[in-house]
Amino acid sequence: MGAMTVSVDTAEPSEFSPRQNAVLEQALQLLVDGGEKALTTSGVARAANCSKESLYKWFGDRDGLLSAMIAYQASKVRTFERNGERLTAASLHDHVVIFARDLLEVLAGDVSLALNRLAIGQSNRDGSKLGKLLLERGRRQIDRRAMALIDAGKRAGLLRFADADEAYHTLYGLVVSDLHVRMLLGEPGLKDTARQAEKAVTAFLRLYGTDKVLAEMPVLG
């Protein structure tokens, strides 16, 4: 089977303008620096040098702002960069490595740790929506794009698996392991995310790669 053309939506960044992205970056930094109490419309407007009216127009209420913040943060985990790309063994490897490295760097960053700690702290509150937003606008958006990547790899004859969900969660587990839990508990992050990403992707491709992928991988000594 020859290389095939794929078209995968890289998604969330296109939902917002550059100005809105800059506002969301300021809002995320406020959350990291000051916690939940710092995340007010007045505080975000002041930090981002915009009006509260603009915030309401762009994002709606506070839940809408939180949803946009999470979607923007999740968008930092990339998969495909260009529509119409011809997927090859080499480009599949490169894209999965980009995904793995971005995932590690985002999960280990102050913003994601702050969001997750806040969600955990709110988990027993009636009406708390942050945990649900993190799943729907964060994790599931990342999952959707990554699964589209590995599905494209299968259609191109580069990956073989019976269950895409199982294959993806194998990849996720190889990349993240228990790192995120340990960091939420206060351990420092990885010193070399690139090395961890490469190791995880190599293991994944050895498990699920077809002969044309395995033929391009280095022989283990």
Side-chain angles (χ1 to χ4, degrees):
M1 183 183 299
M4 68 179 296
T5 299
V6 295
S7 178
V8 178
D9 182 11
T10 55
E12 285 72 26
S14 62
E15 294 182 7
F16 310 116
S17 69
R19 176 61 176 137
Q20 290 165 344
N21 284 341
V23 171
L24 293 172
E25 195 69 55
Q26 288 292 330
L28 288 166
Q29 193 58 51
L30 274 179
L31 182 66
V32 171
D33 292 341
E36 183 182 8
K37 291 181 179 179
L39 194 65
T40 63
T41 53
S42 296
V44 173
R46 186 165 51 252
N49 194 27
C50 69
S51 67
K52 289 193 288 185
E53 290 75 18
S54 292
L55 291 178
Y56 287 119
K57 178 181 177 182
W58 292 336
F59 309 118
D61 60 12
R62 189 171 182 273
D63 285 344
L65 176 60
L66 274 170
S67 177
M69 290 163 62
I70 292 165
Y72 171 68
Q73 183 69 2
S75 76
K76 296 175 183 178
V77 182
R78 299 165 291 169
T79 51
F80 278 95
E81 291 297 305
R82 297 177 297 280
N83 289 335
E85 178 178 353
R86 293 183 64 81
L87 197 61
T88 65
S91 63
L92 173 66
H93 168 273
D94 291 347
H95 282 304
V96 182
V97 168
I98 286 170
F99 163 76
R101 187 169 183 176
D102 284 357
L103 181 63
L104 286 168
E105 290 178 354
V106 166
L107 289 179
D110 290 342
V111 168
S112 289
L113 292 172
L115 282 167
N116 279 275
R117 285 170 178 149
L118 181 58
I120 291 167
Q122 292 182 356
S123 61
N124 291 326
R125 293 188 198 174
D126 291 338
S128 176
K129 297 180 180 179
L130 183 55
K132 184 177 180 180
L133 286 173
L134 279 171
L135 285 173
E136 292 181 351
R137 295 288 282 161
R139 174 66 186 267
R140 287 174 186 157
Q141 293 301 315
I142 292 171
D143 292 352
R144 177 182 60 80
R145 296 198 311 274
M147 287 184 68
L149 170 59
I150 65 171
D151 277 336
K154 182 178 182 180
R155 294 195 305 273
L158 301 170
L159 297 173
R160 59 159 78 80
F161 48 79
D163 186 327
D165 186 70
E166 179 182 292
Y168 167 65
H169 283 93
T170 298
L171 172 62
Y172 192 96
L174 288 167
V175 174
V176 178
S177 185
D178 64 346
L179 172 68
H180 199 219
V181 172
R182 297 201 319 268
M183 291 195 68
L184 286 169
L185 294 173
E187 281 194 15
L190 293 171
K191 293 181 179 179
D192 191 348
T193 55
R195 182 171 180 271
Q196 171 64 16
E198 186 66 51
K199 285 175 58 181
V201 172
T202 296
F204 174 75
L205 293 178
R206 291 197 183 280
L207 285 170
Y208 292 101
T210 60
D211 289 344
K212 65 173 67 176
V213 170
L214 296 175
E216 297 192 17
M217 296 181 67
V219 177
L220 292 175

